[in-house]
Amino acid sequence: MMNCKHATRLLSESLERRLGPVEKGMLRLHTSMCSGCRQFGVQTRELRQICRAYTPMEEAEDDRDEDRQGR
Amino acid sequence: MLTEKDITPYLEERRGDLLRFAQLQLGERQRAEDVVQETLMAALNGGKGFERRSQVKSWVFGILKHKIIDEIRRSDRERRLGDIAPEGDEVLVEQLFNRHGFWRGETRPSRWVDPDESLENRQFWQIFEACLTHLPDRTARVFMMREILELETKEICANLGISTSNCWVILHRARLGLRHCLSREWFEEER
């Protein structure tokens, strides 16, 4: 069986390129048995969402108050 | 509606945050200063008319991202570096996987509780930044170019003068490291 190091590499690469059918099959087999790698797959996608939401400017409390009132 | 008088002090206050981000991305203080200066000028000219400061914030950060991308594209400074074995990464891999390449019991990923809710939390973002800066420099830069500046892998590789497969290896290591750090420092505490 493919190991977790290899499986996480393919999971990461699936965000960069289309995996081939053999890679996909091997990966599916691995994740069907490995909860750790299943979570890794979910979380790399969540990580992408987190990065898209990131703004480095720290929010002051009054921005939030202002926002709440504005809604 | 916000006026220039509201925006100017707000932008000045946030200058340090912008600078910190630009420096992480560009590596050099002077280039970061220039890009932030340009951003603030553009923001001052166009920032009137927003209703709330939080809208100004994401708008200003959007400008900064574009200015950084322009600067990266304009400059060929990055290109000298060539392929690298990502620094410090073997340690990380050994820490996460056993000698057969399977998760060690204590590093096996488990579910993150409500990640969307964390996005609203200031402390989460502090930890996120700390985890990013904890990655080896080059690894963090490639990752941020990909996921925060949202450049395509092809462009990143070309710009840094590294091969596509090297780029993928670096991104894999970055995701392993960042995921592990966020789990340990944030998500597991919530459980």
Side-chain angles (χ1 to χ4, degrees), chain A residues 1-17 30 33-40 42-44 46-64 66-71, chain B residues 2 10 14 17-18 20-21 51-54 57-58 60-61 93 97 100-103 108-112 115 119-122 124-126 128-129 143 146-148 150 153 165 168-169 171-172 175-176 178-179 182-183 187:
Chain A
M1 184 170 111
M2 177 191 278
N3 66 22
C4 301
K5 196 169 143 185
H6 189 180
T8 56
R9 166 136 190 208
L10 287 182
L11 285 163
S12 170
E13 283 185 19
S14 71
L15 297 176
E16 309 305 325
R17 66 177 174 96
H30 180 98
M33 291 184 286
C34 176
S35 67
C37 287
R38 267 202 306 282
Q39 282 307 321
F40 181 86
V42 171
Q43 287 165 8
T44 48
E46 283 170 352
L47 205 49
R48 177 159 280 183
Q49 297 313 312
I50 290 171
C51 288
R52 305 262 149 109
Y54 172 67
T55 47
M57 297 150 90
E58 218 176 272
E59 212 161 320
E61 285 305 321
D62 59 331
D63 291 347
R64 297 180 158 254
E66 189 190 24
D67 245 9
R68 267 194 292 274
Q69 281 158 15
R71 270 192 201 125
Chain B
L2 298 173
Y10 175 75
R14 298 302 190 275
D17 295 326
L18 294 175
R20 194 159 31 93
F21 177 78
E51 299 287 339
R52 295 198 295 273
R53 278 181 294 189
S54 55
K57 176 177 123 161
S58 42
V60 171
F61 185 48
V93 169
F97 301 110
H100 303 297
F102 291 93
W103 296 109
R108 180 190 305 277
S110 54
R111 207 170 74 83
W112 283 353
L119 304 185
E120 305 294 320
N121 191 313
R122 285 173 72 181
F124 171 75
W125 290 114
Q126 285 169 1
F128 175 77
E129 284 188 0
F143 180 78
R146 180 71 188 104
E147 298 290 16
I148 297 178
E150 299 179 42
T153 317
S165 63
W168 288 338
V169 170
L171 287 170
H172 176 218
R175 289 177 177 130
L176 281 174
L178 201 52
R179 194 217 65 80
L182 287 177
S183 280
F187 288 106

Side-chain angles (χ1 to χ4, degrees), chain A residues 23-39:
Chain A
E23 288 173 321
K24 269 191 195 159
M26 281 163 66
L27 188 57
R28 203 171 298 137
L29 182 65
H30 180 98
T31 50
S32 71
M33 291 184 286
C34 176
S35 67
C37 287
R38 267 202 306 282
Q39 282 307 321

Side-chain angles (χ1 to χ4, degrees), chain B residues 53-82:
Chain B
R53 278 181 294 189
S54 55
Q55 294 172 315
V56 177
K57 176 177 123 161
S58 42
W59 177 71
V60 171
F61 185 48
I63 300 177
L64 180 68
K65 284 205 247 187
H66 280 111
K67 300 270 180 206
I68 292 174
I69 291 170
D70 286 347
E71 173 62 25
I72 289 173
R73 286 182 178 153
R74 197 164 43 216
S75 148
D76 58 0
R77 255 173 255 232
E78 269 87 5
R79 267 165 236 201
R80 313 183 204 123
L81 296 161

Side-chain angles (χ1 to χ4, degrees), chain B residues 79-91:
Chain B
R79 267 165 236 201
R80 313 183 204 123
L81 296 161
D83 274 20
I84 44 150
E87 333 99 85
D89 276 352
E90 287 320 305
V91 182

